[in-house]
Short mmCIF file of all heavy atoms in Angstrom, two decimals:
data_model
loop_
_atom_site.label_atom_id
_atom_site.label_comp_id
_atom_site.label_asym_id
_atom_site.label_seq_id
_atom_site.Cartn_x
_atom_site.Cartn_y
_atom_site.Cartn_z
N GLY A 1 -14.94 -18.43 11.94
CA GLY A 1 -15.79 -17.29 11.67
C GLY A 1 -16.14 -17.29 10.11
O GLY A 1 -16.24 -16.23 9.47
N ALA A 2 -16.46 -18.47 9.59
CA ALA A 2 -16.65 -18.56 8.15
C ALA A 2 -18.06 -18.03 7.71
O ALA A 2 -18.22 -17.75 6.54
CB ALA A 2 -16.57 -20.07 7.77
N ARG A 3 -18.95 -17.81 8.63
CA ARG A 3 -20.33 -17.45 8.29
C ARG A 3 -20.47 -15.97 7.99
O ARG A 3 -21.40 -15.53 7.35
CB ARG A 3 -21.23 -17.80 9.45
CG ARG A 3 -22.70 -17.45 9.36
CD ARG A 3 -23.34 -18.25 8.21
NE ARG A 3 -24.78 -17.94 8.15
CZ ARG A 3 -25.30 -16.89 7.59
NH1 ARG A 3 -24.60 -15.96 7.07
NH2 ARG A 3 -26.60 -16.65 7.61
N GLY A 4 -19.55 -15.14 8.56
CA GLY A 4 -19.68 -13.68 8.37
C GLY A 4 -19.37 -13.19 7.00
O GLY A 4 -18.81 -13.91 6.14
N TYR A 5 -19.57 -11.91 6.70
CA TYR A 5 -19.21 -11.31 5.42
C TYR A 5 -17.78 -11.44 5.07
O TYR A 5 -17.40 -11.83 3.97
CB TYR A 5 -19.66 -9.79 5.41
CG TYR A 5 -21.12 -9.55 5.53
CD1 TYR A 5 -21.56 -8.58 6.44
CD2 TYR A 5 -22.04 -10.25 4.81
CE1 TYR A 5 -22.93 -8.31 6.63
CE2 TYR A 5 -23.41 -10.03 4.98
CZ TYR A 5 -23.83 -9.00 5.83
OH TYR A 5 -25.17 -8.83 6.00
N THR A 6 -16.92 -11.14 6.05
CA THR A 6 -15.47 -11.30 5.83
C THR A 6 -15.05 -12.70 5.63
O THR A 6 -14.27 -13.08 4.75
CB THR A 6 -14.63 -10.64 6.88
OG1 THR A 6 -14.88 -9.21 6.93
CG2 THR A 6 -13.16 -10.80 6.74
N GLY A 7 -15.70 -13.60 6.45
CA GLY A 7 -15.35 -15.02 6.30
C GLY A 7 -15.67 -15.50 4.92
O GLY A 7 -14.85 -16.35 4.35
N ALA A 8 -16.76 -15.09 4.40
CA ALA A 8 -17.19 -15.54 2.99
C ALA A 8 -16.16 -15.07 2.00
O ALA A 8 -15.79 -15.82 1.05
CB ALA A 8 -18.52 -15.02 2.71
N GLU A 9 -15.64 -13.87 2.13
CA GLU A 9 -14.66 -13.35 1.20
C GLU A 9 -13.36 -14.22 1.33
O GLU A 9 -12.71 -14.51 0.36
CB GLU A 9 -14.34 -11.92 1.49
CG GLU A 9 -15.50 -10.98 1.23
CD GLU A 9 -15.86 -10.81 -0.19
OE1 GLU A 9 -15.16 -11.29 -1.07
OE2 GLU A 9 -16.92 -10.23 -0.44
N LEU A 10 -12.95 -14.53 2.57
CA LEU A 10 -11.83 -15.37 2.79
C LEU A 10 -11.95 -16.74 2.20
O LEU A 10 -11.04 -17.30 1.66
CB LEU A 10 -11.51 -15.50 4.24
CG LEU A 10 -10.88 -14.26 4.94
CD1 LEU A 10 -11.02 -14.27 6.46
CD2 LEU A 10 -9.37 -14.17 4.53
N VAL A 11 -13.16 -17.32 2.30
CA VAL A 11 -13.42 -18.67 1.75
C VAL A 11 -13.16 -18.61 0.22
O VAL A 11 -12.43 -19.47 -0.32
CB VAL A 11 -14.84 -19.10 1.99
CG1 VAL A 11 -15.19 -20.38 1.12
CG2 VAL A 11 -15.00 -19.45 3.49
N ARG A 12 -13.64 -17.55 -0.43
CA ARG A 12 -13.48 -17.51 -1.88
C ARG A 12 -11.96 -17.29 -2.27
O ARG A 12 -11.45 -17.88 -3.19
CB ARG A 12 -14.35 -16.39 -2.41
CG ARG A 12 -15.84 -16.70 -2.47
CD ARG A 12 -16.66 -15.64 -3.12
NE ARG A 12 -16.90 -14.49 -2.28
CZ ARG A 12 -17.96 -14.33 -1.48
NH1 ARG A 12 -18.83 -15.28 -1.42
NH2 ARG A 12 -18.11 -13.28 -0.73
N LEU A 13 -11.29 -16.42 -1.53
CA LEU A 13 -9.83 -16.23 -1.77
C LEU A 13 -9.00 -17.45 -1.51
O LEU A 13 -8.14 -17.76 -2.33
CB LEU A 13 -9.38 -15.05 -0.92
CG LEU A 13 -9.85 -13.63 -1.36
CD1 LEU A 13 -9.48 -12.61 -0.29
CD2 LEU A 13 -9.31 -13.27 -2.70
N LEU A 14 -9.27 -18.14 -0.46
CA LEU A 14 -8.47 -19.29 -0.08
C LEU A 14 -8.78 -20.44 -1.02
O LEU A 14 -7.87 -21.23 -1.43
CB LEU A 14 -8.78 -19.75 1.34
CG LEU A 14 -8.26 -18.79 2.47
CD1 LEU A 14 -8.89 -19.20 3.78
CD2 LEU A 14 -6.73 -18.78 2.51
N GLU A 15 -10.03 -20.55 -1.44
CA GLU A 15 -10.40 -21.65 -2.42
C GLU A 15 -9.67 -21.53 -3.71
O GLU A 15 -9.35 -22.51 -4.36
CB GLU A 15 -11.95 -21.55 -2.63
CG GLU A 15 -12.50 -22.72 -3.45
CD GLU A 15 -13.96 -22.63 -3.63
OE1 GLU A 15 -14.51 -21.60 -4.16
OE2 GLU A 15 -14.67 -23.56 -3.13
N ALA A 16 -9.46 -20.25 -4.18
CA ALA A 16 -8.84 -19.98 -5.43
C ALA A 16 -7.28 -19.88 -5.40
O ALA A 16 -6.66 -19.78 -6.37
CB ALA A 16 -9.32 -18.70 -6.08
N HIS A 17 -6.74 -19.92 -4.15
CA HIS A 17 -5.31 -19.72 -3.91
C HIS A 17 -4.49 -20.88 -4.43
O HIS A 17 -4.88 -22.07 -4.14
CB HIS A 17 -5.03 -19.45 -2.46
CG HIS A 17 -3.71 -18.83 -2.14
ND1 HIS A 17 -2.52 -19.54 -2.09
CD2 HIS A 17 -3.41 -17.55 -1.86
CE1 HIS A 17 -1.57 -18.78 -1.85
NE2 HIS A 17 -2.03 -17.56 -1.65
N PRO A 18 -3.41 -20.66 -5.14
CA PRO A 18 -2.64 -21.76 -5.68
C PRO A 18 -1.83 -22.57 -4.65
O PRO A 18 -1.41 -23.71 -4.91
CB PRO A 18 -1.73 -21.15 -6.69
CG PRO A 18 -1.58 -19.72 -6.16
CD PRO A 18 -2.85 -19.36 -5.60
N ARG A 19 -1.67 -22.04 -3.43
CA ARG A 19 -0.85 -22.77 -2.48
C ARG A 19 -1.58 -23.04 -1.14
O ARG A 19 -1.28 -24.03 -0.46
CB ARG A 19 0.40 -21.97 -2.07
CG ARG A 19 1.45 -21.83 -3.21
CD ARG A 19 2.07 -23.26 -3.51
NE ARG A 19 2.64 -23.90 -2.30
CZ ARG A 19 3.75 -23.66 -1.74
NH1 ARG A 19 4.59 -22.73 -2.21
NH2 ARG A 19 4.16 -24.30 -0.73
N PHE A 20 -2.56 -22.29 -0.78
CA PHE A 20 -3.36 -22.54 0.44
C PHE A 20 -4.44 -23.49 0.22
O PHE A 20 -5.06 -23.56 -0.87
CB PHE A 20 -3.91 -21.23 0.98
CG PHE A 20 -2.85 -20.31 1.46
CD1 PHE A 20 -3.00 -18.88 1.32
CD2 PHE A 20 -1.68 -20.71 2.07
CE1 PHE A 20 -2.06 -17.99 1.77
CE2 PHE A 20 -0.70 -19.86 2.54
CZ PHE A 20 -0.94 -18.46 2.39
N HIS A 21 -4.75 -24.31 1.24
CA HIS A 21 -5.76 -25.29 1.23
C HIS A 21 -6.64 -25.02 2.45
O HIS A 21 -6.14 -25.03 3.58
CB HIS A 21 -5.19 -26.69 1.21
CG HIS A 21 -6.12 -27.78 1.68
ND1 HIS A 21 -7.17 -28.21 0.90
CD2 HIS A 21 -6.16 -28.51 2.83
CE1 HIS A 21 -7.81 -29.22 1.55
NE2 HIS A 21 -7.23 -29.39 2.70
N LEU A 22 -7.94 -24.88 2.26
CA LEU A 22 -8.84 -24.64 3.44
C LEU A 22 -9.06 -26.00 4.14
O LEU A 22 -9.80 -26.86 3.69
CB LEU A 22 -10.12 -24.03 2.93
CG LEU A 22 -11.10 -23.52 4.02
CD1 LEU A 22 -10.44 -22.45 4.92
CD2 LEU A 22 -12.32 -22.89 3.37
N ALA A 23 -8.38 -26.11 5.27
CA ALA A 23 -8.41 -27.37 6.00
C ALA A 23 -9.67 -27.56 6.80
O ALA A 23 -10.17 -28.70 7.04
CB ALA A 23 -7.11 -27.49 6.88
N PHE A 24 -10.14 -26.52 7.44
CA PHE A 24 -11.38 -26.52 8.21
C PHE A 24 -12.03 -25.19 8.22
O PHE A 24 -11.30 -24.15 8.10
CB PHE A 24 -11.22 -27.09 9.58
CG PHE A 24 -10.40 -26.16 10.50
CD1 PHE A 24 -11.10 -25.14 11.20
CD2 PHE A 24 -9.05 -26.44 10.78
CE1 PHE A 24 -10.41 -24.29 12.09
CE2 PHE A 24 -8.38 -25.53 11.64
CZ PHE A 24 -9.01 -24.47 12.28
N ALA A 25 -13.30 -25.11 8.43
CA ALA A 25 -14.04 -23.86 8.57
C ALA A 25 -15.00 -24.00 9.74
O ALA A 25 -15.76 -24.97 9.79
CB ALA A 25 -14.82 -23.52 7.31
N SER A 26 -15.03 -23.05 10.63
CA SER A 26 -15.80 -23.18 11.84
C SER A 26 -16.78 -21.97 11.90
O SER A 26 -16.46 -20.86 11.63
CB SER A 26 -14.88 -23.11 13.09
OG SER A 26 -15.70 -23.05 14.28
#
C-alpha cells in the first residue's frame, strides 16, 4: 500500500530510520 497518503509517510519514515530497511514496496 505504498501509493496511499499513509504509505508515502511510511516510506519517508522507513527510509530515514537507522535500523529499518525498506525491502519491498507494493
Side-chain angles (χ1 to χ4, degrees):
R3 177 68 174 80
Y5 295 133
T6 297
E9 297 292 349
L10 283 163
V11 168
R12 288 186 281 268
L13 287 171
L14 291 169
E15 186 178 61
H17 197 281
R19 290 293 308 280
F20 293 143
H21 161 71
L22 191 56
F24 69 81
S26 175

